[in-house]
Amino acid sequence: MKKFLLLFIIQCALTCSAQIDSLSYAAGEITTVGLLAGENKAVHDMPTFREYVRGLRENMLNEQELNSTSYLASYSVGAMRAYFLNNSLAHKADCASGISCLIDGLRQVADRKVNLPQDSIEAWNVVSRYVERNNLDSLSIWPPMDQCGFYRAFGLLKGLQALTPDEYAAALAWRIGNGDSLVIEQPVVALGMADALKGFLLLADAGSVTAYDLGWIIAKSYMLNPVNRLPYITPADFISGAEGVLGLGKQLLSHDECEAIIKRHQDSQWSDFDIDGVEVEEVEDIEDPYISERRYDVDWNVEVYPLADYRDAPASVKSCFGKAIGELPESSSDYGGALMAVTDVDYVAEVMNLSDMQLPDGYAWFSGMELSAYTQDKMAYRFGIVKTDGRFESKIREVTMGQLSRDTPYYQAQFRFEGVKADEWAYFTRSNIGRFVVMKVNGVFVMSPKVNSEITGGGCAITLLDRPLMEYLISN
């Protein structure tokens, strides 16, 4: 059931027309056909068809939300935060009841029913009292009401928690191509968390999911399209597509026509992407015919450096870093001790000339915008200090690029280190587990991920926001 839902919740970026948005209609039709074709007992007759459509209609975006970058960015960051929180709680025996109570706390923030600072102080006292007794695992031996009180207080605090630098950098992606400013709406962050956690609970107990629940899940999934410079779904036409195939309305397009429209849309994501002078080969995705990849010949020099951190950096290195971030009105070094900061690109001009601050041998400054900033304005800017000793370096001659899946607009560049370099890559990643690293391609800062495990076989990938970024990398 879970796999089925993930396959057919197609978060398409859709274009509008004066009469009918055929792409929105086709997405509604294709998604609903998927519900009927899968192992699904919730939608099977006219009453359940109507309940499914009601779930869609009552939970789709409204016009104000649809046109607000700040709303969508805040909601998306909340959902992203919920994903990691759900993973951390999933192993606990009281997971379902605990998350339900946590959602109650989040809803209090989302509904703007928090009285500050009294409610936050009270919630903090509740959480602190329980944590002092032992740890979260000990909650399983406490009375249910005590558990619920803890999770409700924890949810309220999470709903009020300000964004981390990484979360803010992710939120900035919603401004691509948009002229409006980004204002994080904390109640909407809490709403995104609450809705995502509710979705996880529904998927975890798929046998009890109702037709209305399915409509709710699909409607909410369309809130999370993270590339806001693309047009959004037209809710009315999406619902018309669902009603048409269910016999609740006029069928404006046949199933074959809908499939063709979706396929053309996917193909158009790659149109005009051939780059002069760059050899390209199309690779079909066997598991999903809607997705295609392209293989390019490149001349990349890939360098990866471990980030310096407070655990082993000399005092002079720490001092230089502290002086650098002190020049910024908004910055942070909260990366698990890593000497790295992020700031809005608006403040780049205020960053001092890092090269003027001399670092000892074995250390070097790095700086650069996130990849998105090479083609769009108003993105995150990262800088910090790397250790030059123990860096990894390799040449790359071939890269495969493609869309991760048809239910996400993200793209990924995949490549592989071969032979001795694969062994060196395994050693480098094994030596830096738990640390942040900095990757450069042809001298350009690309990303600064955290190494979670050893990577054997030489595999590596860069996740991108859109095709222009891929073109930048391929052609440089």
Side-chain angles (χ1 to χ4, degrees):
M1 179 69 170
K2 185 185 298 184
K3 181 179 179 181
F4 152 74
L5 284 174
L6 292 175
L7 285 173
F8 288 97
I9 297 178
I10 309 170
Q11 298 170 343
C12 297
L14 306 173
T15 54
C16 299
S17 64
Q19 296 180 345
I20 177 176
D21 178 349
S22 60
L23 199 49
S24 292
Y25 183 95
E29 197 268 359
I30 292 293
T31 301
T32 304
V33 167
L35 289 174
L36 298 176
E39 298 177 3
N40 168 43
K41 298 180 181 178
V43 182
H44 57 84
D45 56 18
M46 279 298 174
T48 56
F49 292 169
R50 293 189 180 93
E51 280 298 289
Y52 163 68
V53 171
R54 187 169 70 88
L56 287 175
R57 193 182 303 280
E58 293 181 357
N59 295 287
M60 278 287 185
L61 302 171
N62 61 46
E63 186 175 354
Q64 182 178 0
E65 296 163 349
L66 187 66
N67 294 317
S68 172
T69 299
S70 294
Y71 186 97
L72 292 169
S74 301
Y75 189 96
S76 178
V77 169
M80 178 177 65
R81 182 180 286 179
Y83 172 81
F84 294 107
L85 182 59
N86 183 70
N87 285 349
S88 67
L89 295 175
H91 69 284
K92 301 186 182 301
D94 61 339
C95 173
S97 60
I99 289 180
S100 294
C101 296
L102 196 152
I103 290 173
D104 290 342
L106 290 168
R107 297 284 186 201
Q108 189 174 347
V109 179
D111 295 339
R112 293 174 168 82
K113 294 182 178 178
V114 177
N115 296 315
L116 295 176
Q118 298 93 324
D119 289 346
S120 60
I121 293 173
E122 182 178 343
W124 177 251
N125 289 336
V126 170
V127 171
S128 298
R129 185 166 64 251
Y130 286 147
V131 171
E132 286 172 1
R133 290 172 61 175
N134 197 334
N135 55 50
L136 292 182
D137 292 325
S138 67
L139 284 172
S140 60
I141 66 173
W142 296 342
M145 287 305 295
D146 283 353
Q147 295 180 42
C148 192
F150 169 86
Y151 281 112
R152 186 180 296 109
F154 183 63
L156 186 146
L157 293 176
K158 289 296 289 184
L160 293 173
Q161 180 183 346
L163 268 60
T164 66
D166 279 336
E167 288 174 333
Y168 188 73
L172 285 170
W174 290 82
R175 281 200 299 180
I176 297 177
N178 244 336
D180 59 339
S181 60
L182 176 67
V183 178
I184 297 301
E185 302 175 25
Q186 207 63 41
V188 182
V189 174
L191 177 62
M193 287 190 70
D195 283 351
L197 289 173
K198 177 181 175 181
F200 293 140
L201 287 181
L202 290 172
L203 292 173
D205 189 15
S208 63
V209 171
T210 66
Y212 182 89
D213 291 334
L214 289 176
W216 184 95
I217 291 171
I218 290 172
K220 293 300 182 183
S221 75
Y222 281 94
M223 294 285 287
L224 306 179
N225 182 344
V227 185
N228 75 304
R229 71 187 182 87
L230 296 176
Y232 284 102
I233 187 173
T234 306
D237 292 326
F238 182 95
I239 293 170
S240 293
E243 290 176 327
V245 76
L246 293 174
L248 298 175
K250 184 178 179 180
Q251 190 164 5
L252 303 178
L253 298 169
S254 69
H255 180 65
D256 288 345
E257 289 173 319
C258 290
E259 282 193 325
I261 289 169
I262 296 294
K263 183 64 167 63
R264 283 198 300 272
H265 173 69
Q266 295 295 335
D267 290 343
S268 72
Q269 301 298 296
W270 292 96
S271 64
D272 302 323
F273 186 53
D274 294 332
I275 304 170
D276 292 341
V278 179
E279 185 175 345
V280 58
E281 175 187 352
E282 186 160 348
V283 183
E284 182 180 356
D285 188 319
I286 298 175
E287 295 183 358
D288 190 341
Y290 288 102
I291 304 303
S292 61
E293 295 180 336
R294 292 192 177 190
R295 188 174 293 132
Y296 298 89
D297 291 333
V298 297
D299 184 15
W300 283 5
N301 185 56
V302 176
E303 300 169 277
V304 190
Y305 299 80
L307 261 169
D309 65 36
Y310 285 101
R311 291 174 290 186
D312 53 25
S316 59
V317 172
K318 299 176 187 176
S319 176
C320 284
F321 182 74
K323 184 178 180 181
I325 64 173
E327 295 294 315
L328 295 174
E330 291 188 15
S331 61
S332 173
S333 56
D334 185 14
Y335 286 89
L339 299 184
M340 177 171 64
V342 61
T343 184
D344 192 309
V345 85
D346 288 342
Y347 298 130
V348 170
E350 299 181 44
V351 179
M352 66 173 58
N353 188 348
L354 299 177
S355 62
D356 288 344
M357 288 185 285
Q358 189 69 33
L359 293 171
D361 291 343
Y363 294 88
W365 288 103
F366 82 90
S367 62
M369 301 177 190
E370 292 293 338
L371 271 174
S372 304
Y374 289 113
T375 53
Q376 306 294 341
D377 195 8
K378 306 291 187 183
M379 293 301 293
Y381 178 87
R382 290 183 187 271
F383 68 94
I385 301 173
V386 296
K387 298 177 66 175
T388 55
D389 295 337
R391 75 172 180 177
F392 171 85
E393 185 172 6
S394 180
K395 293 287 186 180
I396 292 296
R397 302 301 184 189
E398 184 178 274
V399 175
T400 299
M401 290 196 178
Q403 191 171 350
L404 286 178
S405 68
R406 59 175 166 172
D407 62 346
T408 173
Y410 289 110
Y411 293 84
Q412 192 172 77
Q414 298 179 343
F415 49 94
R416 187 171 299 280
F417 306 115
E418 304 288 352
V420 174
K421 288 299 179 180
D423 295 335
E424 292 180 9
W425 181 236
Y427 175 78
F428 178 85
T429 53
R430 182 171 66 251
S431 302
N432 288 286
I433 292 175
R435 286 179 177 263
F436 285 90
V437 296
V438 170
M439 177 178 285
K440 294 182 178 181
V441 174
N442 293 340
V444 175
F445 168 72
V446 172
M447 61 180 181
S448 51
K450 187 176 183 179
V451 179
N452 295 314
S453 63
E454 178 183 0
I455 302 174
T456 59
C460 192
I462 302 171
T463 301
L464 311 172
L465 287 174
D466 57 7
R467 286 198 325 279
L469 309 184
M470 294 195 296
E471 180 171 351
Y472 174 85
L473 283 180
I474 291 297
S475 59
N476 289 275

